[in-house]
Amino acid sequence: MRYLFGTGLIGAITAGATLLRGSRETPITWRAVLAWVSWGITLALAIGSIVDMRRADRGLPVAADSPLAAKAAKERAKAEKRRAK
């Protein structure tokens, strides 16, 4: 449940609802397409961050470009050091 209520996901869903409400009766222009593409990217990044958090919580490796990668690498190094003792 904690992942479902993440601020990034709530923000993306709210922005999508606002965008949908605002583009119902307007013609499709390049600006509208650009707004929908931007919303799609925002939603993808929010979902990606949730996946990274879940993988890090489970002790699985995360992508190297993730903000959680450094923290996960430190935790793995500590765990390996404890196993070596």
Side-chain angles (χ1 to χ4, degrees):
M1 284 304 277
R2 113 175 195 213
Y3 305 113
L4 186 62
F5 296 114
T7 57
L9 191 59
I10 290 174
I13 291 171
T14 304
T18 304
L19 186 60
L20 181 63
R21 211 174 314 128
S23 65
R24 275 192 185 154
E25 297 179 13
T26 59
I28 297 174
T29 63
W30 65 272
R31 290 182 181 130
V33 172
L34 189 61
W36 280 106
V37 169
S38 173
W39 175 77
I41 292 170
T42 302
L43 184 64
L45 289 172
I47 292 170
S49 69
I50 290 170
V51 169
D52 283 348
M53 284 191 318
R54 186 175 173 113
R55 290 180 66 89
D57 286 347
R58 291 183 174 185
L60 299 171
V62 294
D65 62 345
S66 171
L68 299 173
K71 182 179 176 184
K74 285 180 184 178
E75 289 176 4
R76 275 196 311 270
K78 284 181 183 179
E80 288 176 12
K81 197 173 186 181
R82 282 187 224 131
R83 279 188 236 142
K85 286 183 179 182

